[in-house]
Amino acid sequence: PGRYDLDDQRLCESARRYECGTLTTVAAYGLLEALRLVNAAGVEAISARVVQLAGELCTRLRDAGYPVHRAEGPGETSGIVSFEVPGQDVRAVAQDLERARVLVNPRGGRLRAAVHAWNAGPDVDRLLEALPRP
């Protein structure tokens, strides 16, 4: 293993034969930079931003008449927001939203939006503007 210039290389008899052959150096450097970015922004700040933006999305969805399903107890919040679009096929709605450059996933008869620290208020606006009215 590790020699790639052989015409007749015997594979290991164990599951080791399925291990990756080479280190993905580019991915390792990308991960390093991503970790530096996360550490510079601060994990707590990122978490607070995600919870704040997801909360804003929940409030605005509820105000617009969409039933929202989200764990909101102490320590249960996340950037995942699931909501219903009453009377609509959520798969079709997800496709329409994708054409409007808004990405959500249909899951169990609901739409699932996942916000993160790189999202902003205008992203929430675009989602709400592109949704069919309940």
Side-chain angles (χ1 to χ4, degrees):
R3 290 194 55 203
Y4 304 103
D5 60 340
L6 301 175
D7 291 332
D8 183 25
Q9 183 173 358
R10 287 188 38 186
L11 297 176
C12 293
E13 295 299 321
S14 68
R16 185 171 182 205
R17 73 172 50 201
Y18 301 110
E19 290 180 357
C20 295
T22 59
L23 173 66
T24 55
T25 306
V26 172
Y29 278 102
L31 175 60
L32 176 63
E33 290 306 313
L35 291 172
R36 285 180 177 153
L37 180 63
V38 166
N39 286 331
V43 173
E44 293 300 320
I46 292 170
S47 178
R49 174 68 178 148
V50 169
V51 169
Q52 179 269 324
L53 192 58
E56 177 186 334
L57 176 58
C58 286
T59 298
R60 292 187 59 195
L61 284 166
R62 285 184 182 118
D63 289 350
Y66 300 95
V68 173
H69 303 272
R70 179 176 181 241
E72 298 185 88
E76 295 179 344
T77 56
S78 74
I80 305 298
V81 177
S82 293
F83 61 98
E84 297 176 41
V85 184
Q88 300 285 327
D89 174 6
V90 292
R91 291 188 184 280
V93 173
Q95 290 174 346
D96 291 343
L97 290 172
E98 186 174 353
R99 283 189 283 279
R101 301 181 53 87
V102 176
L103 300 180
V104 296
N105 289 300
R107 301 272 175 95
R110 302 173 183 160
L111 290 179
R112 177 187 178 272
V115 300
H116 213 294
W118 52 77
N119 291 117
D123 296 324
V124 172
D125 295 339
R126 284 187 25 235
L127 170 57
L128 287 160
E129 289 166 7
L131 281 172
R133 295 294 159 236

